[in-house]
Amino acid sequence: MAMAAIPVDIHVPAIVQACTNAIPCPVAILSPGYGFSGSDYSFVTNYLNGKGYLVVALQDSAGGVKMDPNAPVSKQVQALARVASRSISTAIDDIALRYPQFDWRHLLLVGHSLGGDSSAQFAADYPNRVSSLISLDSRRVALPRSAGIHVLTIRASDTTADPAVLPNEEERSRYGTCVIRIEGSRHNDMHDAGSEQLKARMTSAIDTFLAPAPYPKYACGQDSKLE
């Protein structure tokens, strides 16, 4: 499957003057769902910018490729995710040269649906470049099972993931994976057009996950449960 280079939008935090090569500021890669653009998740971008992250938002996780409605969805998404993973790597290698005062070796990946699957594939392909992953209801590519990659997955109530995508109870306990299911939420509402209540719940879960603490550094909220 061929995919064109994926264009990105770069959102620099207001505290950029405080970022240096010696003390770099964090980086987040935001990958949208199929049919969406990175600009459709401004509530996530604004939150991360406020936390000091430089946000690289992909304009199109599918790179312009259209899925065949008559073919199996899972195989198509997995193929798109593999190609998108390589495109993300190429894009950030270029951007890193322009923003050396940011930390490109410990990335936070954030992705909705296909974007979450692409993020999970990137984490599998380049585990040494990723510190954490936030999946917004991704369903087709297995989430990381690794002590070195901290995972939060926020689940909608109108979908189910493919087998083995989500960690089981033993794996969650071993790796500290956070699984948050938001009752009454819909997969296709997990972006700017979703309700203010849904976006607030999602932002709260992300904030809890990323909030600094002595131990664990990444934490689950009280709504964490096994799907």
Side-chain angles (χ1 to χ4, degrees):
M1 178 180 291
M3 180 184 288
I6 299 177
V8 301
D9 295 315
I10 301 172
H11 304 270
V12 180
I15 64 164
V16 63
Q17 294 83 359
C19 306
T20 66
N21 290 22
I23 307 178
C25 292
V27 175
I29 310 300
L30 174 61
S31 301
Y34 181 76
F36 293 98
S37 168
S39 60
D40 294 321
Y41 302 82
S42 63
F43 78 102
V44 176
T45 296
N46 292 339
Y47 167 81
L48 292 172
N49 273 167
K51 293 295 184 180
Y53 284 82
L54 180 145
V55 179
V56 178
L58 279 64
Q59 292 182 16
D60 177 9
S61 290
V65 176
K66 301 298 183 183
M67 291 202 296
D68 181 353
N70 299 314
V73 174
S74 291
K75 289 186 177 180
Q76 293 185 83
V77 169
Q78 290 165 0
L80 283 172
R82 287 192 293 270
V83 180
S85 171
R86 296 193 293 272
S87 294
I88 292 170
S89 177
T90 300
I92 62 178
D93 283 345
D94 175 65
I95 299 168
L97 296 175
R98 290 181 278 149
Y99 294 91
Q101 71 274 46
F102 288 88
D103 187 353
W104 298 93
R105 295 180 297 176
H106 303 89
L107 300 172
L108 164 64
L109 308 177
V110 184
H112 173 220
S113 193
L114 169 61
D117 291 316
S118 300
S119 299
Q121 186 63 53
F122 182 91
D125 294 339
Y126 309 97
N128 293 334
R129 306 179 74 170
V130 179
S131 65
S132 51
L133 186 155
I134 298 173
S135 151
L136 306 180
D137 208 41
S138 60
R139 297 180 288 158
R140 312 299 181 186
V141 176
L143 293 172
R145 274 76 161 170
S146 168
I149 300 177
H150 304 273
V151 177
L152 164 66
T153 179
I154 301 175
R155 314 305 304 170
S157 61
D158 65 339
T159 59
T160 56
D162 287 351
V165 167
L166 301 181
N168 59 32
E169 189 169 6
E170 188 276 330
E171 291 169 331
R172 286 182 60 200
S173 177
R174 185 192 308 174
Y175 301 119
T177 306
C178 300
V179 180
I180 305 291
R181 188 172 188 270
I182 300 179
E183 297 293 342
S185 64
R186 299 192 306 175
H187 177 85
N188 286 335
D189 290 341
M190 291 182 158
H191 56 92
D192 285 344
S195 70
E196 294 303 317
Q197 181 182 25
L198 174 58
K199 289 183 287 187
R201 291 282 300 278
M202 293 167 66
T203 303
S204 176
I206 294 171
D207 187 66
T208 298
F209 179 67
L210 294 178
Y215 182 84
K217 183 178 180 182
Y218 299 91
C220 299
Q222 294 182 349
D223 293 333
S224 180
K225 60 181 70 176
L226 185 65
E227 181 177 283

